[in-house]
Amino acid sequence: MSDPLWREPLPEHDPEMGQAVSPGVRVMLAGMIVIVLVLVAGGTAWWLYAQKPVATGTENRAVAGPCDETLLHVVAAPEIAPAVEEAARSLNPDSGCGPISVTAQEPAVTALAAQQPDVWIPSSSVWLRIALVGGINAYRLEGGPIARSPIVLAAPTAVAAKFAKGDQTSWLQLMTGVAGHQIPAVTMPDPLHSSVGLLAVYAIQAAMVQSTPDAGIAQLRALTLRSRLKDASADPAELLRRVAAQTDADAVANDVGVFPITEQQLTMYQRGGNTVALKGSYPSDGLVEADYPFAISTSTKQGALAERLRAAISVPAITEAGFRAYKMPLSIEVPERSDQVLDPAVQWAQYRALEFQVLLLIDSSGSMNKPATDKTGRTTTKAGLLRQSGLAAAQLFGDETSIGMWTFNTPKPESPPHVEVVPFGPITGRAGGTGRRDALAAAITGYTAPNQAGTPLFQTILDARAAMKPRVKPRANTMIIVLSDGSDAESKYTMPKKTFLTRLAKEGDAQRPVPVIGVGFGPDADMATLNDIAKVTGGKAIAAKDPADLASALAKAFLAAHAPA
């Protein structure tokens, strides 16, 4: 019994962009334009993402078969094409030239082809849904997938032992190992051109969402792994060829390291008797499978022949080729909506490992000792929540970041407006006899606020801007992140808001911008002022009205710091 695969509706109007969106736009993946449905604040919008061409060796390969008598044109993912060809031969005459032709082609190339096949067997059902959004011919599914293969993490045996126990691991363990420099290298395929990359990125995002109740922290954890990749656009088959050509496992560990591939690809490698042994492990927190749907074009007149081909693809042939004929019990479902898969893929592909220079300004006035309740219902203080949330978020700055931290308050009339807690410098460098990342974590862990202290917010921001402006340099994002639960008040540095904003604008420099990202902590925070500051400096104001939402607010601020300019 075949199931119809319906088209996803295309929006007629984009409320964010204020213009019509043509429903005839196609998805362009391998060197043109990807039309991606992305959820943004305020509604659904179409984003255009331009890409460079990626050579696959099959861009210009014809879909049509070589024989005049060919009736059914089949395109299959390269790794499963031999099994499909074997089934086609059983239906073709002995001459080998008959009614069915099979072309091995990557799904991203098929999605671009002007001529669509009668039968398409991509390496993931996601490609069918992407193609439908782009207006490509609709397909119906003949039965379930003809094969399955889970995405595994492959690595030389010694490297696998660093993040896996037996054949089990997790994406979170991999991220932690990479962040702690315990794993020499991680390589990933491009998620916009490779099924392995597309599914792996979705699995990573799903795993990070499981690891924390805060979506912002989850997103940062995913980008922490992304920022540390040795190669983010590798071809899985080419990676295996590179590994197979090596005789030294240490060289493979440093050159390729850990990389996702399908279990079928790993099985074929292991059967090849290569010198460097690769071990595969299954991520328990995000196990996804490449499924191989048998999709028949709704416009073909050879539906009956296609169904005969489907019946001829035997389970023993699929198994012999290294695939599974059944679904693994713990594998997660890939969403029906294509944007839920493409959204993290585009973010991953757009990421650029740029240098960031960030100065953290933390309010330590007396109001930070007011009672607050965390997400578990436990009573603490605003300062206590800051220690919890700030420590988790601070660990997620990438190695390309330079950072410093000030606290600001005036416990005494003669007190300076702010104190440098962590001197500015590379996060991978040293500060006060220890690593700067550790110093930052220790400063947040030990954060306290006196019961009586003013809030010299304005003067601290002016001084921070003056300190960071000379550090502005090309190809680096320089910014200030300020967290405050109140207004500028109760100190000798207090000044009228108009005076402050005038000075802030006057002392700005369009050639050396230093945007201010303001996090308003609690219901008493002066969000109107933080928004004015953001407007003057080209920054952003983020409200955390419920003190227990501080983690989310900090995550948004750190994500803004990591976003490409």
Side-chain angles (χ1 to χ4, degrees):
M1 189 76 176
S2 60
D3 298 319
L5 189 63
W6 300 108
R7 293 177 181 272
E8 295 186 29
L10 291 172
E12 294 296 331
H13 185 267
D14 177 349
E16 289 291 320
M17 299 175 69
Q19 58 188 13
V21 180
S22 170
V25 174
R26 293 185 57 191
V27 175
M28 300 295 184
L29 290 176
M32 301 181 72
I33 297 176
V34 179
I35 310 298
V36 184
L37 190 63
V38 180
L39 296 181
V40 295
T44 301
W46 286 94
W47 277 20
L48 298 180
Y49 178 61
Q51 294 201 89
K52 296 180 180 179
V54 174
T56 66
T58 59
E59 290 86 345
N60 301 314
R61 195 166 174 179
V63 173
C67 306
D68 292 338
E69 58 265 44
T70 295
L71 300 175
L72 189 73
H73 304 306
V74 180
V75 170
E79 63 272 24
I80 203 167
V84 179
E85 289 170 347
E86 180 183 337
R89 281 194 296 270
S90 71
L91 301 177
N92 283 345
D94 292 339
S95 66
C97 195
I100 304 174
S101 71
V102 179
T103 299
Q105 196 171 76
E106 291 290 347
V109 179
T110 309
L112 269 178
Q115 182 182 356
Q116 291 299 302
D118 298 302
V119 173
W120 188 14
I121 309 174
S123 42
S124 174
S125 299
V126 174
W127 292 105
L128 296 175
R129 297 192 282 272
I130 291 172
L132 290 176
V133 172
I136 293 176
N137 291 342
Y139 290 87
R140 63 179 176 88
L141 299 179
E142 179 63 24
I146 63 173
R148 295 178 182 272
S149 190
I151 305 298
V152 300
L153 286 170
T157 305
V159 177
K162 297 178 183 293
F163 68 95
K165 186 175 182 180
D167 63 356
Q168 297 295 309
T169 187
S170 70
W171 294 106
L172 187 61
Q173 283 177 280
L174 178 66
M175 187 277 291
T176 303
V178 171
H181 302 283
Q182 298 164 343
I183 296 172
V186 176
T187 304
M188 283 278 290
D190 185 339
L192 298 183
H193 295 94
S194 158
S195 293
V196 171
L198 185 68
L199 295 173
V201 168
Y202 175 75
I204 291 167
Q205 188 67 33
M208 298 310 155
V209 168
Q210 286 184 40
S211 73
T212 172
D214 184 79
I217 293 291
Q219 192 177 8
L220 274 174
R221 285 179 176 167
L223 291 182
T224 295
L225 179 57
R226 172 63 182 86
S227 71
R228 287 159 171 76
L229 295 183
K230 183 157 189 175
D231 186 350
S233 59
D235 175 72
E238 176 58 29
L239 281 179
L240 288 174
R241 286 191 288 270
R242 280 165 58 185
V243 175
Q246 291 278 4
T247 58
D248 185 347
D250 289 337
V252 172
N254 292 313
D255 177 44
V256 176
V258 184
F259 58 101
I261 54 173
T262 64
E263 181 189 58
Q264 186 268 346
Q265 290 173 310
L266 179 61
T267 298
M268 293 296 103
Y269 176 88
Q270 291 170 333
R271 289 179 185 175
N274 298 290
T275 303
V276 177
L278 289 180
K279 184 176 178 60
S281 43
Y282 302 89
S284 59
D285 56 351
L287 181 62
V288 293
E289 292 182 320
D291 65 333
Y292 292 80
F294 193 94
I296 303 174
S297 172
T298 55
S299 63
T300 185
K301 298 179 180 179
Q302 300 299 324
L305 183 57
E307 291 170 11
R308 287 178 59 201
L309 175 64
R310 172 69 176 83
I313 302 172
S314 68
V315 170
I318 289 297
T319 304
E320 177 61 26
F323 295 96
R324 293 175 182 258
Y326 58 89
K327 181 179 179 180
M328 292 189 72
L330 299 179
S331 62
I332 61 176
E333 294 290 343
V334 178
E336 287 293 325
R337 287 184 51 173
S338 59
D339 60 291
Q340 293 177 348
V341 182
L342 284 171
D343 188 5
V346 170
Q347 182 190 56
W348 187 276
Q350 283 181 323
Y351 182 88
R352 297 294 181 266
L354 303 175
E355 181 181 352
F356 293 94
Q357 302 185 122
V358 181
L359 182 58
L360 297 176
L361 308 180
I362 308 296
D363 186 342
S364 56
S365 60
S367 57
M368 292 294 287
N369 292 315
K370 291 182 178 179
T373 303
D374 66 16
K375 291 289 188 180
T376 67
R378 185 178 65 90
T379 300
T380 179
T381 63
K382 292 181 180 179
L385 287 174
L386 187 145
R387 286 191 291 269
Q388 296 172 28
S389 305
L391 180 61
Q395 295 300 315
L396 298 173
F397 276 110
D399 287 353
E400 71 281 359
T401 304
S402 291
I403 197 165
M405 175 177 161
W406 295 359
T407 58
F408 60 95
N409 67 6
T410 51
K412 298 178 180 179
E414 67 273 16
S415 297
H418 46 78
V419 175
E420 182 181 71
V421 180
V422 179
F424 183 86
I427 201 166
T428 55
R430 307 285 293 178
T434 187
R436 185 169 275 99
R437 189 186 294 278
D438 292 337
L440 183 64
I444 293 175
T445 301
Y447 166 86
T448 59
N451 288 326
Q452 299 294 327
T455 311
L457 175 65
F458 292 166
Q459 186 62 54
T460 299
I461 290 175
L462 290 170
D463 291 349
R465 194 108 174 279
M468 294 301 288
K469 192 158 61 172
R471 294 190 170 105
V472 175
K473 56 185 178 180
R475 295 179 296 279
N477 288 348
T478 304
M479 61 189 62
I480 295 164
I481 296 178
V482 56
L483 185 148
S484 177
D485 76 330
S487 303
D488 182 76
E490 301 178 358
S491 81
K492 68 178 182 180
Y493 304 100
T494 298
M495 66 183 76
K497 177 178 173 180
K498 184 177 180 180
T499 301
F500 163 67
L501 291 175
T502 300
R503 286 185 58 185
L504 196 63
K506 184 178 179 180
E507 294 172 11
D509 184 346
Q511 302 303 315
R512 305 173 72 83
V514 183
V516 176
I517 299 173
V519 178
F521 186 32
D524 299 329
D526 187 353
M527 290 307 302
T529 297
L530 291 179
N531 275 294
D532 289 338
I533 293 169
K535 185 176 180 180
V536 170
T537 64
K540 187 178 181 67
I542 301 166
K545 293 183 180 179
D546 181 349
D549 289 334
L550 176 60
S552 179
L554 283 176
K556 290 176 182 176
F558 291 166
L559 283 169
H562 278 70

